[in-house]
Amino acid sequence: MLLLHLNDVNEASWAEAFAKALHPYPVVGRGDDFDSADIRYVFVWKPKPDAFDGLTGLEAVLSLGAGVDALIKHPKLPDAPLVRFVDSDLSQRMSDYVVAHVTMHHRVYTRFRADQKARRWSQFYPPSAAESTVGIMGMGVLGQDAARRLAPLGFTLRSWSRTRKEVEGVACFAGDEDLDAFLSGTDILVNLLPLTPETTGILNYENFAKLRRGNLQGGPVIINAARGGHQREADIVKALADGTLGAASLDVFEQEPLPQESPLWDIENCYITPHIAAISDEKSGVRYFSKIIADHRAGKPLINVVDRNRGY
């Protein structure tokens, strides 16, 4: 039996779709009458404290989100395999966001918007894409997809991850020993890392100061579409004010929704979106997890299981 425990999304709609896709395998929601011991799979998003109570027969926890950092911190998370959402639709949406913001900053949108506001005709020619280096932090499924979509645009690409990757057309760096070298050659920094104790707060003033200067007018840029816990917002405010950063695109925040009193709202070279870079689509999510359940019931191994020690 599959149990849905979803918050801030339409649980009833997901349940109806799962029931059709898995028929005759039983699917229940929190308001249905069922025996907790009969639940073999639980599909969760922002689970409440009691989400896993009584689920003694659980065989897998299925996460609607690609990131599972918050779920891993749940005090009652069962000792069952944790499966994350990996889907081409989600990757496409994230890459759409990354490409849009990389190209916006590469073409120095902040400068030209200010010129337009001032009715100032001041011609300036940005460097070519080949002269601009995009550094991607995190080379999992999302990071590699972003690199594949940026490469045809001509950007020079580099990456940094926990373990070294081999990606065609990308200069790959890995580990603490490579971080400074990675940052020093980066003009536009894109963060797609998983949130772990090691990556918490990695977007900080000290690291901003290590980014390459003199190539992108106004200074280097950061784009964070991963987790709010990666960034130190006071450091971003400071770096944008003193020119250590030329601009920032932020889709995630230390506290969400972003508080009304946050100074980020009023900074002209800070571009804020309300955690919408990539969303887990119902149609693709049901298709993905229904196949996982069906395959598992047929004796096949679970895929995309999280390593809890690494946090992703």
Side-chain angles (χ1 to χ4, degrees):
M1 186 179 295
L2 169 66
L3 169 65
L4 275 65
H5 185 109
L6 306 175
N7 293 292
D8 294 342
V9 297
N10 189 334
E11 182 178 285
S13 179
W14 280 85
E16 182 180 356
F18 267 119
K20 290 179 181 178
L22 288 170
H23 182 78
Y25 193 76
V27 176
V28 295
R30 285 173 288 175
D32 297 327
D33 185 20
F34 61 91
D35 187 339
S36 296
D38 291 336
I39 301 300
R40 297 293 175 264
Y41 306 93
V42 59
F43 182 54
V44 298
W45 178 244
K46 298 183 179 180
K48 300 293 186 182
D50 63 350
F52 307 108
D53 290 358
L55 305 186
T56 56
L58 204 60
E59 297 180 16
V61 178
L62 313 176
S63 172
L64 174 57
V68 295
D69 47 283
L71 184 54
I72 286 177
K73 295 175 184 177
H74 193 288
K76 296 182 180 180
L77 182 65
D79 186 20
L82 174 57
V83 179
R84 63 191 181 93
F85 188 26
V86 178
D87 182 77
S88 59
D89 179 75
L90 188 146
S91 298
Q92 172 75 64
R93 292 169 189 261
M94 180 63 81
S95 292
D96 287 348
Y97 175 91
V98 170
V99 170
H101 285 261
V102 165
T103 53
M104 177 181 76
H105 292 303
H106 166 246
R107 297 297 298 185
V108 203
Y109 176 76
T110 298
R111 174 206 163 112
F112 291 118
R113 185 178 65 167
D115 285 348
Q116 179 179 344
K117 187 176 181 179
R119 303 191 178 198
R120 179 173 54 238
W121 186 272
S122 176
Q123 289 182 314
F124 166 78
Y125 301 96
S128 69
E131 297 173 298
S132 304
T133 299
V134 179
I136 301 173
M137 302 179 82
M139 283 302 279
V141 173
L142 297 178
Q144 291 189 39
D145 189 75
R148 281 193 296 269
R149 298 180 190 281
L150 286 166
L153 300 180
F155 290 102
T156 299
L157 300 174
R158 55 175 44 201
S159 72
W160 182 83
S161 51
R162 178 180 179 271
T163 55
R164 193 171 303 279
K165 302 290 195 302
E166 296 293 334
V167 181
E168 185 177 357
V170 181
C172 297
F173 298 76
D176 293 342
E177 64 276 12
D178 280 358
L179 181 58
D180 286 0
F182 163 77
L183 293 171
S184 67
T186 294
D187 301 309
I188 301 174
L189 180 66
V190 177
N191 178 43
L192 295 174
L193 285 165
L195 182 61
T196 68
E198 293 73 28
T199 63
T200 297
I202 197 168
L203 297 178
N204 58 57
Y205 192 87
E206 180 182 0
N207 284 334
F208 300 154
K210 296 174 182 177
L211 293 166
R212 183 161 70 169
R213 310 196 64 77
N215 192 53
L216 198 62
Q217 191 188 61
V221 172
I222 64 165
I223 299 170
N224 187 16
R227 287 289 183 267
H230 286 124
Q231 65 197 30
R232 294 285 178 259
E233 286 165 21
D235 287 7
I236 294 174
V237 172
K238 177 182 177 182
L240 290 172
D242 68 14
T244 299
L245 288 178
S249 289
L250 307 176
D251 186 57
V252 291
F253 303 91
E254 292 180 67
Q255 180 182 336
E256 296 184 3
L258 183 64
Q260 289 288 312
E261 62 272 17
S262 171
L264 293 171
W265 290 109
D266 297 321
I267 300 176
E268 289 194 5
N269 52 345
C270 184
Y271 299 86
I272 291 172
T273 49
H275 204 150
I276 49 77
I279 188 171
S280 301
D281 176 70
E282 180 183 302
K283 184 177 180 180
S284 57
V286 168
R287 180 175 59 247
Y288 172 80
F289 284 109
S290 293
K291 186 175 189 307
I292 284 178
I293 292 171
D295 285 349
H296 191 238
R297 301 315 296 167
K300 296 181 182 179
L302 294 166
I303 62 172
N304 296 319
V305 175
V306 172
D307 182 334
R308 297 197 192 194
N309 291 325
R310 293 193 302 176
Y312 56 92

